[in-house]
Structure formats: C-alpha cells, structure tokens
Amino acid sequence: MDDYPLLNLFWTMLWFFLWVMWFFLLFKVITDIFRDHSLHGWGKAGWLILVLLIPFIGVFIYVIARGRSMHERDAKQIKENEAAFRSYVRQAAGSGGGGGGGGSADELSKLSALKDKGDISQEEFERAKARILA
C-alpha cells in the first residue's frame, strides 16, 4: 500500500461516490420519464434516447427543463401513498371480525389497539374517536 498514498485513496472514494450518485440521478430521471402522464409516446421516447445516448448533457437538460414538475410528481406520489395508507388503516379499523356489530366500544378498542401498535398517530386516533362518538 506504500505506492498508493492516502490522498489517492480519498480521491478514489470521492470519484466512486460521485459515480454512484450519478447513476442514482440517471435512474431517477428515467423513472420520472415513465411516471409522467403528461408526456406521451414520442415525448418519452425522445427524452429516453437523449438521456441514454448523451447521458450527462441529457440528464442536465432534463433536470433544468423538467425539474420543477419532477418535484411536483414526487409530492403527488407521496400524497397518494399516504392517502392509500390512511384508507387502509381506516378500513382495517372499521371492518369487524364477523361478531355482528359490537358497537362503538368495540370500534374504540380496535382504534386503541391500532394506536398502541403505532399504526395510527395520536392525532388520527383522536379524530377517529370523535367520529365514532358523534
């Protein structure tokens, strides 16, 4: 290891890190191209060809031209996932195990169990409890 100084090791690590980050950005752009519903066939094909044939310039052009909408699609995806999760929790908390309607006490105990497991937050618990008691 005497012929490979410590500074060269740091430079190698830096370049490796940048290389990994580059691939992360490239894959992020490619997935965003396919996730965008406003782009149609030829638009997606054009961006994909640009990004794959001239990777550095293509990715930088894509980020400059469509970076804001890329962020908006990410935020929309997060909101949709969160809404789906909340819907699932409400469905799991609301659906009974066949016993024939134990009433609000049974629903409150299920909500309490979900809160204790950490599936719903205290705020969600309070809202659902108020809805059941109303």
Side-chain angles (χ1 to χ4, degrees):
M1 185 98 179
D2 291 333
D3 58 341
Y4 199 71
L6 187 61
L7 185 59
N8 285 353
L9 178 67
F10 287 136
W11 275 112
T12 302
M13 289 172 48
L14 175 70
W15 282 111
F16 181 73
F17 175 74
L18 290 174
W19 184 69
V20 169
M21 291 305 295
W22 166 251
F23 276 108
F24 175 77
L25 181 62
L26 180 66
F27 292 139
K28 179 82 171 157
V29 165
I30 290 173
T31 57
D32 188 67
I33 289 171
F34 286 107
R35 182 176 54 183
D36 187 9
H37 297 295
S38 65
L39 277 177
H40 297 293
W42 286 109
K44 289 181 182 186
W47 277 114
L48 191 62
I49 289 170
L50 181 68
V51 165
L52 292 178
L53 290 182
I54 317 171
F56 290 111
I57 295 172
V59 166
F60 291 134
I61 291 172
Y62 186 85
V63 170
I64 290 170
R66 300 181 54 85
R68 180 178 303 270
S69 61
M70 193 173 174
H71 167 69
E72 291 168 357
R73 281 186 293 281
D74 279 341
K76 182 181 174 188
Q77 178 90 26
I78 290 170
K79 286 180 184 177
E80 287 174 357
N81 289 345
E82 187 174 323
F85 173 74
R86 289 178 190 266
S87 172
Y88 171 74
V89 168
R90 285 189 196 107
Q91 178 188 8
S95 64
S104 61
D106 187 37
E107 291 181 24
L108 286 174
S109 67
K110 289 178 186 177
L111 274 175
S112 178
L114 284 172
K115 184 182 68 121
D116 293 340
K117 286 190 336 187
D119 290 338
I120 61 174
S121 68
Q122 179 67 30
E123 177 183 292
E124 292 170 328
F125 173 75
E126 293 298 329
R127 275 190 270 143
K129 182 174 124 181
R131 190 178 69 229
I132 290 171
L133 295 176

